[in-house]
């Protein structure tokens, strides 16, 4: 039984896409709904359509991926319209709607629009896009993060989560958790890609992607231990009411199991979904079930958050 409870909701599996991957168009979103994913999240939206950065802007690598998409998206109305249509269908699970304004004003504007809509799913505020030239990742600025959350909760009355960048120093986890614990967040999603990696092809002596001279967010196997550390460090520090989505480096069922063991309630798949398409969820669900059977676990709660130390 792979049923996952999350906030006030249950999903058939704990698996879903990571925002940005396979979720730009209604066709891709429909394909995710038809897959073994328990639910989905839409591509982070800005108010208006954005073309994003020049191509090539995504590369699969042997150990993961590098991207500098620059928030290409169809605009908030497109994704809000999609989730509103789907929520009328009782066979469709609760959906996640992601927003990533280029400024705090744009974030607040989109949150107000969603608040005033009939959307009854979960909203994810992306505070961690590393790829808009000239724009810092909001959640590395602790003062800006606190201001953002205070302003967000003044006008937003629906379940809200935040997408965080990876942190690396244990004092950062202490500071960020102390900020997050002051607000009635439904969840956090950790991690976004590890920002501003640089992949170099030695044969051609060139970078792998065009934007920002080759600097881009890393995903895949490169990031798994960092992702697990962020899930676990936040689970140790956050109020128990704040759920956690673990994202980063999932290639197989064992990686899903590790995220759940570290304390994730749901997990998201980015690079591997890019490589395999939505059928990846069939394989991951089967591999997770096999591991659980071999260990004698019947449900996720049997091991979720129960990581052992030495
Ligand atoms: N890429 C990422 O890795 N994370 C984001 O939040 C956004 C993008 C992008 O659109 O470039």
């Amino acid at each position: 039984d792979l049923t996952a409870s999350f906030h006030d909701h249950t999903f058939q599996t704990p698996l879903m896409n990571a925002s940005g991957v396979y979720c730009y168009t209604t066709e891709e979103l429909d394909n995710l709904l038809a897959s073994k994913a328990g639910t989905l999240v839409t591509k982070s939206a800005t108010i208006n359509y954005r073309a994003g950065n020049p191509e090539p802007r995504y590369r699969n690598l042997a150990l993961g991926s590098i991207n500098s998409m620059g928030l290409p998206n169809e605009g908030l109305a497109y994704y809000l319209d999609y989730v509103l249509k789907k929520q009328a269908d009782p066979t469709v699970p609760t959906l996640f709607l992601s927003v990533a304004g280029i400024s705090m004003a744009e974030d607040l504007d989109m949150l107000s629009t969603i608040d005033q809509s009939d959307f009854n799913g979960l909203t994810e505020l992306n505070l961690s896009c590393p790829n808009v030239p000239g724009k810092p990742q909001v959640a590395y600025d602790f003062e800006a993060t606190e201001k953002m959350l205070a302003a967000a909760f003044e006008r937003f009355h629906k379940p809200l989560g935040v997408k965080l960048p990876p942190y690396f120093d244990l004092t950062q986890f202490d500071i960020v958790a102390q900020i997050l614990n002051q607000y009635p967040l439904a969840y956090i999603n950790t991690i976004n890609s590890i920002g501003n990696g640089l992949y170099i092809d030695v044969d051609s002596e060139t970078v792998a992607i065009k934007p920002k001279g080759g600097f881009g967010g890393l995903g895949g196997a490169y990031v798994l231990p960092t992702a697990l550390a962020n899930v676990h460090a936040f689970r140790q520090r956050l109020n128990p009411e704040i759920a956690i989505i673990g994202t980063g480096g999932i290639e197989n069922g064992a990686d899903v199991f590790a995220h759940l063991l570290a304390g994730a309630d749901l997990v998201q798949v980015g690079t591997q979904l890019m490589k395999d398409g939505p059928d990846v969820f069939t394989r991951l669900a089967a591999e997770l079930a096999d591991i659980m059977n071999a260990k004698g676990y019947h449900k996720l709660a049997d091991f979720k958050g129960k990581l052992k130390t030495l």
Side-chain angles (χ1 to χ4, degrees):
D1 178 7
L2 299 184
T3 306
S5 13
F6 182 84
H7 191 241
D8 295 334
H9 306 280
T10 54
F11 300 105
Q12 276 178 12
T13 73
L15 311 170
M16 59 189 292
N17 66 304
S19 183
V21 180
Y22 210 89
C23 59
Y24 287 79
T25 65
T26 57
E27 188 189 345
E28 287 178 336
L29 293 164
D30 281 344
N31 290 340
L32 288 176
L33 284 182
S35 80
K36 280 280 185 186
T39 180
L40 60 73
V41 58
T42 55
K43 170 65 185 172
S44 291
T46 47
I47 293 179
N48 298 121
Y49 165 84
R50 259 179 80 85
N53 292 338
E55 294 181 338
R57 57 192 185 183
Y58 178 95
R59 264 272 294 272
N60 282 321
L61 306 170
L63 295 176
S65 65
I66 188 166
N67 89 83
S68 184
M69 308 300 290
L71 292 174
N73 77 91
E74 297 286 345
L76 177 63
Y78 179 93
Y79 301 104
L80 184 54
D81 185 56
Y82 181 82
V83 293
L84 286 173
K85 273 190 187 132
K86 291 295 166 182
Q87 77 184 22
D89 177 346
T91 67
V92 171
T94 301
L95 302 179
F96 290 70
L97 178 64
S98 174
V99 296
I102 304 301
S103 65
M104 179 162 148
E106 185 174 6
D107 277 330
L108 294 175
D109 194 344
M110 289 191 286
L111 289 178
S112 293
T113 299
I114 297 166
D115 199 55
Q116 287 153 31
S117 77
D118 290 330
F119 180 53
N120 63 13
L122 296 130
T123 301
E124 180 163 300
L125 178 61
N126 180 354
L127 299 178
S128 49
C129 173
N131 300 331
V132 177
K135 294 289 171 185
Q137 293 171 79
V138 177
Y140 283 142
D141 179 339
F142 303 142
E143 233 173 89
T145 300
E146 190 153 13
K147 270 194 196 134
M148 180 74 235
L149 289 174
F153 280 105
E154 265 173 38
R155 75 204 64 209
F156 198 71
H157 309 93
K158 300 183 181 202
L160 184 68
V162 285
K163 178 80 172 271
L164 298 173
Y167 298 101
F168 300 93
D169 192 281
L170 294 181
T171 63
Q172 294 176 315
F173 294 115
D174 293 339
I175 296 166
V176 175
Q178 184 264 325
I179 294 169
L180 299 174
N181 279 335
Q182 295 171 42
Y183 297 95
L185 280 166
Y187 73 96
I188 65 159
N189 184 346
T190 181
I191 61 175
N192 207 317
S193 58
I194 298 183
N196 297 299
L198 186 64
Y199 184 82
I200 295 176
D201 183 87
V202 168
D203 283 342
S204 63
E205 304 177 13
T206 56
V207 299
I209 53 174
K210 184 175 175 74
K212 293 171 66 178
F215 289 87
L218 299 177
Y222 287 120
V223 315
L224 178 64
T226 300
L228 294 174
N230 276 260
V231 168
H232 198 56
F234 277 116
R235 189 65 288 160
Q236 291 173 315
R237 288 165 176 79
L238 289 179
N239 299 334
E241 302 75 42
I242 302 179
I244 297 184
I245 300 179
T247 303
I250 291 174
E251 291 184 335
N252 55 48
D255 301 333
V256 176
F257 188 90
H259 265 273
L260 297 169
L261 200 63
D265 299 286
L266 296 175
V267 302
Q268 294 187 344
V269 184
T271 300
Q272 202 63 40
L273 171 60
M274 195 75 183
K275 291 179 177 176
D276 297 351
D279 284 347
V280 74
F281 295 114
T282 309
R283 175 174 64 82
L284 293 175
E287 290 174 355
L288 177 61
D290 284 349
I291 291 168
M292 287 170 60
N293 284 338
K295 289 174 176 284
Y297 293 141
H298 302 292
K299 52 188 194 307
L300 303 187
D302 292 344
F303 61 94
K304 191 168 80 177
K306 295 187 179 173
L307 179 65
K308 297 170 199 158
T309 54
L310 301 180

